[in-house]
Amino acid sequence: MTIHHDKLAYGKLASLTEEFSEDRLLEMVNSLSEEEKENEAEAADAGKKEAETARKKDRQK
């Protein structure tokens, strides 16, 4: 098997890497945590609405 070394590809790959400071990583984690909380709240609201709709249908019967 022949391995071809492409120096241009190495340069492109190296330029895609990014160093993150601890502060930046903490910001990212906090942002994800906030999004998760919002998604959980939306899911809970949707569940309540579904339950309310089901109760209304049961009352109509």
Side-chain angles (χ1 to χ4, degrees):
M1 180 165 97
T2 304
I3 299 173
H4 298 277
H5 296 282
D6 186 356
K7 291 181 182 179
L8 293 175
Y10 291 134
K12 289 178 184 176
L13 292 175
S15 66
L16 294 175
T17 61
E18 185 175 347
E19 299 278 333
F20 291 108
S21 67
E22 186 175 340
D23 292 336
R24 177 70 178 126
L25 290 173
L26 289 173
E27 287 176 19
M28 293 167 66
V29 169
N30 290 334
S31 174
L32 290 172
S33 296
E34 289 173 9
E35 286 180 23
E36 185 176 332
K37 287 178 185 177
E38 289 173 4
N39 290 339
E40 288 174 358
E42 288 174 5
D45 288 342
K48 288 177 185 177
K49 288 179 183 178
E50 287 179 19
E52 186 176 316
T53 303
R55 281 188 226 118
K56 286 181 182 179
K57 286 181 181 179
D58 286 341
R59 288 181 197 152
Q60 291 175 354
K61 289 182 181 180

